Amino acid sequence: MEEILSLIFEGCKLTRDLESKLPSLTENPSLLSSSCEDISRVFGTAADRLKAQAPSSQPELEAGSSVQEWLRSGYTQSMTMAVDPFQAQLFSDKNPFDVRLLTTRNAEGSSVRSRGGVELQVADTSDAGKSPVTRSRKRKDGAQKHTIKAAAPRMGNTEIPPEDGFTWRKYGQKEILGSRFPRSYYRCTHKSFYGCNAKKQVQRVDDDPNTFEVTYCGHHTCLMSSTAPSALPPAITTQPEPIEVEPVQSSLPLRRRHSMDKFEPNTSTDLRLRMSGDAAAAEGQGTSQSQARDGKEAEWPVVDLADAMFNSGSSTSSMDAIFSFMQDKDK
DNA sequence: CATATTTGACCGGG
DNA sequence: CCCGGTCAAATATG
């Protein structure tokens, strides 16, 4: 769910971007169209996902408030400025997408079944009524988990876990007792840069190998780029050419050659986090890299920004350095 | 060369 | 001590 909301956010952001740049963009039809396509793709993905998860459901869950709560807690917090009228309206109590965010703050793992078919279910492992007291210092900042069941993509071959617009990196797999299928553990690929602690575990449902149970844990502090893969077959699969958002003030010529260079985060405040408005910074129209499926890495203008700010010319150690830094850096 | 996945080791809670 | 979750070395892939 968070993923979906994030998608929607992304769409909103892109929309706002487009709106603000509309005047200047009318001169540039191609850019305009690609931008529109991007927006529709993002929203389309979100819509698809929603449809897949909660087809007809009308759970009398206090969805609205949950969403808001969620927005308040954490996500919005970091996005501060993001709460503009547009989104306020979108997420108030009635949103066009019938979003049902099932936060797992309180309550014992309640499970909501939708009369439709696919069921949304809140696993709530963080605070389940099961273990009464012993919830020791493990759960840091209320790292909530929530589980959803997602149908395996009906696409041709591999019944791989459904795409959700984020890039994940697998870091483990375990056999689970009582389950016939192993459980895979993923974390956000961008953890290294943003300390994004979003994680998810995917496991195929025993009796229905066609259904995946995806448990998300933690919020994304990173923001996927609009060029992110998220290759959902349906809907508009138009030419995903990189949408360059024209040269705004942040037109940084620099281009990193190797991988990402390390940078010094100096202050602990995240000035590098998302919300940098712009979408892809892509130059001209080089190679349209955004083909589906394995387009893995997406670019984040932020990175460049970071590069610029605390340059760091030298490359050498990359991820690892940052990684370790991020790790012991207590939140 | 860099980053992703695999897979057994390892760790810590219950 | 078992089990689920994570690490990390080895391996894979471009």
Side-chain angles (χ1 to χ4, degrees):
Chain A
M1 263 329 205
E2 299 176 19
E3 274 61 18
I4 298 176
L5 284 174
S6 293
L7 273 173
I8 295 173
F9 263 131
E10 175 73 2
C12 293
K13 196 191 73 177
L14 289 175
T15 304
R16 270 177 281 123
D17 269 21
L18 193 151
E19 181 182 29
S20 64
K21 293 163 185 168
L22 206 46
S24 56
L25 261 125
T26 49
E27 315 280 321
N28 195 337
S30 66
L31 211 176
L32 191 58
S33 71
S34 62
S35 186
C36 288
E37 284 171 12
D38 232 70
I39 291 169
S40 63
R41 193 176 334 127
V42 172
F43 278 126
T45 302
D48 287 343
R49 187 133 295 116
L50 284 168
K51 260 178 279 183
Q53 289 187 6
S56 61
S57 64
Q58 194 80 281
E60 38 276 339
L61 208 47
E62 65 288 5
S65 59
S66 295
V67 172
Q68 292 183 328
E69 189 175 303
W70 179 71
L71 291 175
R72 230 192 304 293
S73 71
Y75 199 98
T76 310
Q77 199 175 320
S78 44
M79 299 177 69
T80 50
M81 290 292 85
V83 193
D84 58 38
F86 187 72
Q87 288 177 9
Q89 172 187 338
L90 186 60
F91 289 104
S92 54
D93 33 46
K94 200 32 193 225
N95 61 68
F97 296 104
D98 190 28
V99 175
R100 253 72 215 207
L101 202 239
L102 309 174
T103 4
T104 64
R105 270 243 156 59
N106 47 355
E108 52 273 74
S110 55
S111 148
V112 184
R113 74 138 57 17
S114 58
R115 39 222 92 181
V118 188
E119 75 231 87
L120 279 180
Q121 126 175 118
V122 184
D124 192 359
T125 341
S126 64
D127 208 319
K130 307 189 149 183
S131 54
V133 245
T134 359
R135 196 241 310 2
S136 47
R137 68 283 165 165
K138 185 61 173 294
R139 292 271 87 91
K140 224 176 195 178
D141 55 330
Q144 352 115 293
K145 290 186 185 174
H146 62 277
T147 303
I148 68 171
K149 296 218 174 128
R154 308 187 48 72
M155 10 192 318
N157 187 9
T158 50
E159 336 97 302
I160 48 179
E163 184 57 61
D164 53 18
F166 286 99
T167 51
W168 301 96
R169 168 139 147 207
K170 188 173 185 175
Y171 68 86
Q173 170 169 314
K174 262 283 193 194
E175 298 288 340
I176 303 303
L177 45 28
S179 299
R180 302 184 306 146
F181 303 101
R183 175 179 301 168
S184 321
Y185 301 85
Y186 298 84
R187 66 159 196 251
C188 179
T189 302
H190 309 317
K191 171 169 183 160
S192 35
F193 271 112
Y194 304 100
C196 184
N197 277 325
K199 281 182 274 196
K200 78 167 178 181
Q201 23 187 269
V202 179
Q203 183 170 14
R204 204 171 303 186
V205 173
D206 282 334
D207 40 301
D208 182 6
N210 225 358
T211 302
F212 284 92
E213 193 177 83
V214 184
T215 300
Y216 291 96
C217 177
H219 299 299
H220 280 276
T221 55
C222 62
L223 185 65
M224 57 192 172
S225 118
S226 55
T227 55
S230 88
L232 282 188
I236 48 281
T237 317
T238 53
Q239 305 282 355
E241 41 191 333
I243 26 57
E244 51 265 275
V245 180
E246 56 60 52
V248 197
Q249 63 280 22
S250 65
S251 56
L252 306 171
L254 66 162
R255 204 70 259 177
R256 57 192 172 293
R257 45 232 156 255
H258 286 163
S259 61
M260 29 276 214
D261 303 327
K262 122 206 277 200
F263 66 91
E264 298 280 329
N266 67 357
T267 55
S268 53
T269 50
D270 325 311
L271 59 157
R272 57 191 180 291
L273 294 185
R274 53 27 230 41
M275 281 305 91
S276 54
D278 38 309
E283 310 291 85
Q285 56 294 87
T287 57
S288 64
Q289 41 66 265
S290 47
Q291 81 294 58
R293 200 37 282 138
D294 39 33
K296 295 297 182 195
E297 280 311 336
E299 8 281 295
W300 329 292
V302 246
V303 173
D304 288 342
L305 221 188
D307 265 352
M309 292 177 109
F310 347 89
N311 87 1
S312 70
S314 63
S315 50
T316 49
S317 64
S318 48
M319 309 292 259
D320 299 341
I322 305 168
F323 212 176
S324 51
F325 163 80
M326 279 307 193
Q327 291 218 305
D328 49 33
K329 168 204 174 181
D330 187 36
K331 208 168 191 162

